[in-house]
C-alpha cells in the first residue's frame, strides 16, 4: 500500500502516466480501465523525489492508521485516511466487501473512477485494486474471508493480497495448478 499527501506534490495538473492524471485544483482523476493503470499511478507516485511520499508500513501507520478486527473466518481492516491523501491499495486475491464508513473520496479501480460519499458498500471482485483520493477525512473498511483464522497480519496479508501484477499472475498460475491436480 502506498500513501502520499496531496499538498507535497506540485499544485498544478501533473501527468502521472500516459493514462492517469490528477488535477489538484479541480480534484479530477482520470484513468485507463485496467489494473496496470493503477500500477502506473503507484509507480509515478513512487518516482517523485519528495521525501513526503509514504510507502512503508511504519510510515503508513502514522499517516493513515489501521485497525484490525477478527471474527470466526472473517478479517476486517479499517483505515482512516486524512483529507487530501492518495492511497494505492494492494491487489486482492479474492472477492471481498468494503464499506466507506465516513467521509468522501474519489475511488479508481480497473472499472474506472467514482466519487463516493459515506455510507456506502462496495463489492470488489478478485484481482481488483483500488486507489483513493480522500476528498475529506474518511474511514474505509475491507472485509475479507479468513477461513484459516490467521491473526498474524503479515501472514494474513500474504493470504489476502498481492503487492503487484507479477505477484498476482503467479498466484493465479498456482491456483490453476491446484485445480488441474
Amino acid at each position: 500500500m502506498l500513501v502520499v499527501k496531496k499538498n507535497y506534490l506540485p499544485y498544478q495538473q501533473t501527468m502521472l502516466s500516459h493514462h492517469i492524471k490528477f488535477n489538484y485544483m479541480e480534484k479530477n482523476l482520470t484513468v485507463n480501465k485496467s489494473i496496470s493503470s493503477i500500477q502506473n499511478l503507484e509507480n509515478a507516485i513512487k518516482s517523485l523525489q519528495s521525501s513526503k511520499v509514504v510507502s512503508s508500513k511504519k510510515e503508513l501507520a502514522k499517516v493513515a492508521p489501521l485497525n484490525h478486527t477478527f471474527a470466526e473466518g472473517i478479517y476486517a481492516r479499517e483505515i482512516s485516511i486524512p483529507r487530501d491523501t492518495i492511497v494505492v491499495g494492494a491487489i486482492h486475491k479474492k472477492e471481498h466487501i468494503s464499506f466507506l464508513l465516513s467521509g468522501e473520496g474519489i475511488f479508481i479501480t480497473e472499472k474506472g473512477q467514482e466519487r463516493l460519499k459515506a455510507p456506502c458498500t462496495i463489492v470488489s471482485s478478485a484481482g481488483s485494486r483500488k486507489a483513493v483520493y480522500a476528498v475529506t477525512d474518511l474511514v474505509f473498511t475491507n472485509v475479507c474471508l479468513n477461513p484459516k483464522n490467521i491473526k498474524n497480519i503479515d501472514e494474513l496479508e500474504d493470504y489476502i493480497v498481492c503487492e503487484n501484477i507479477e505477484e498476482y499472475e503467479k498466484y493465479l498460475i498456482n491456483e490453476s495448478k491446484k485445480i488441474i491436480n
Side-chain angles (χ1 to χ4, degrees), residues 165-177:
I165 294 169
E166 295 78 19
E167 189 180 321
Y168 183 65
E169 289 172 348
K170 287 178 188 175
Y171 163 76
L172 291 176
I173 290 168
N174 289 334
E175 288 300 300
S176 62
K177 287 178 183 176

Side-chain angles (χ1 to χ4, degrees), residues 27-131:
K27 295 181 175 57
N28 178 33
L29 296 171
T30 59
V31 66
N32 182 11
K33 296 182 179 185
S34 70
I35 289 178
S36 63
S37 293
I38 295 175
Q39 186 73 40
N40 290 342
L41 173 62
E42 180 178 9
N43 292 340
I45 292 169
K46 283 181 179 178
S47 73
L48 296 171
Q49 297 303 312
S50 170
S51 61
K52 302 300 182 180
V53 175
V54 180
S55 57
S56 75
K57 288 181 184 180
K58 186 176 182 179
E59 293 169 322
L60 174 65
K62 292 178 186 175
V63 176
L66 296 171
N67 183 27
H68 307 280
T69 305
F70 299 90
E72 184 68 31
I74 300 172
Y75 164 64
R77 178 185 183 113
E78 180 182 282
I79 186 168
S80 298
I81 304 172
R83 178 177 181 252
D84 289 335
T85 302
I86 301 169
V87 176
V88 180
I91 301 169
H92 284 258
K93 294 178 180 178
K94 304 191 184 312
E95 185 176 58
H96 65 284
I97 295 175
S98 302
F99 302 97
L100 179 57
L101 301 174
S102 67
E104 185 174 349
I106 299 171
F107 289 78
I108 301 171
T109 68
E110 64 281 354
K111 295 177 183 175
Q113 74 176 37
E114 189 172 8
R115 188 176 185 125
L116 299 174
K117 188 172 183 177
C120 70
T121 304
I122 304 160
V123 177
S124 299
S125 59
S128 68
R129 185 173 204 184
K130 289 183 267 314

